[in-house]
Amino acid sequence: MIGGARQPREDGPPPVPPSHQGCAIRSVRLRLPAQRGELRDRHEDGHHLHHLVWRLGPGVRVCSSAVLGGGIGPRAWILNAQVPGGYPRLDPDRHLAEIAAAEGLTGPGAGLMTAADVAAYTTGHDGGVTATVTTGLGVRGWAAAPDVDRLPHRPGTVNIVVTLPAALSDAALVNAVATATEAKVQALLDAGLDCSGTPTDAVCVAAPEPGPDGGEPFAGPRSTWGARITRAVHTAVLAGARPARDLS
């Protein structure tokens, strides 16, 4: 079966404004990462870029901090799109909707952006959980930095998409996002990086909709599914963070 949160759009992607209609996006399928995600190649405004697409289908809901379709609710797809450094647009949700439309994606979805090389995604797997991570750490730092509102906003972003086969309650879905974030920070420290992430990191957790039983009630690090999430996310983030450490 995937960051500033906006309210989820239950009626699908927003309409594309006239100024962006006809945007030339050429996309081809390259290969399949784990858990139904597809790595796609596109040419846009003179840039060669990549994006990952999860075609979830019916019966799946997502908890995320996505710029498009964030929050908790049913989602038919997830999109993690690479954009150029110095990203000039002020409508990332509409831009993501354009890419989604070019892919033929319909219904409500969640869309993330990153300046990191999406083709260099890393994955971790544990007990049915898959974590797919794109890692950009050029603007890393600590979450509780002083005068954080005065720091320049530059591309970075660690995007984490977690998929699992077990239905989770609302509380457990939120807990799963926190659990994945804890595992991310642990992996960054284990990679030898002095940071908790970047200012624009995002997490998406996708799981089946719960039935009458309400789903698994817990997803903390010591719960069955939470522990699997931590190990999968830690593996994927550590693999992506080590090259950033070596370049430091």
Side-chain angles (χ1 to χ4, degrees), residues 110-136:
L112 309 173
M113 280 187 170
T114 179
D117 181 7
V118 168
Y121 70 89
T122 54
T123 59
H125 312 276
D126 193 287
V129 174
T130 295
T132 304
V133 175
T134 53
T135 307

Side-chain angles (χ1 to χ4, degrees), residues 48 94 123 226:
H48 182 200
R94 292 185 182 277
T123 59

Side-chain angles (χ1 to χ4, degrees), residues 1 36 56-62 73-76 78 164 205-209:
M1 304 199 151
R36 294 189 289 169
L56 303 177
V60 177
R61 64 178 189 159
V62 173
R75 301 289 182 267
I78 297 170
L164 65 155
V205 177
E209 293 183 343

Side-chain angles (χ1 to χ4, degrees), residues 3-208:
R6 299 193 181 184
Q7 291 300 312
R9 299 181 185 270
E10 298 298 339
D11 56 349
V16 177
S19 61
H20 296 305
Q21 288 177 356
C23 177
I25 299 175
R26 180 168 60 83
S27 174
V28 297
R29 177 173 171 174
L30 295 183
R31 64 181 184 273
L32 291 173
Q35 211 79 356
R36 294 189 289 169
E38 302 173 33
L39 179 66
R40 308 285 284 191
D41 175 279
R42 77 185 192 277
H43 289 81
E44 183 179 313
D45 297 331
H47 298 283
H48 182 200
L49 304 166
H50 297 89
H51 52 274
L52 284 164
V53 179
W54 287 255
R55 303 174 193 272
L56 303 177
V60 177
R61 64 178 189 159
V62 173
C63 179
S64 81
S65 55
V67 68
L68 172 66
I72 299 179
R75 301 289 182 267
W77 49 268
I78 297 170
L79 174 67
N80 184 15
Q82 179 184 358
V83 296
Y87 182 66
R89 290 181 60 162
L90 301 178
D91 58 347
D93 54 341
R94 292 185 182 277
H95 188 186
L96 285 163
E98 294 171 21
I99 299 171
E103 286 290 351
L105 302 174
T106 59
L112 309 173
M113 280 187 170
T114 179
D117 181 7
V118 168
Y121 70 89
T122 54
T123 59
H125 312 276
D126 193 287
V129 174
T130 295
T132 304
V133 175
T134 53
T135 307
L137 290 165
V139 201
R140 60 184 180 266
W142 292 104
D147 299 323
V148 66
D149 56 333
R150 302 179 188 175
L151 298 177
H153 180 77
R154 294 175 296 173
T157 309
V158 178
N159 281 343
I160 300 171
V161 181
V162 176
T163 61
L164 65 155
L168 302 177
S169 68
D170 286 357
L173 264 177
V174 175
N175 201 176
V177 171
T179 295
T181 303
E182 289 184 49
K184 176 200 73 174
V185 175
Q186 181 180 342
L188 294 175
L189 295 176
D190 287 348
L193 296 171
D194 188 21
C195 66
S196 59
T198 85
T200 53
D201 290 355
V203 180
C204 282
V205 177

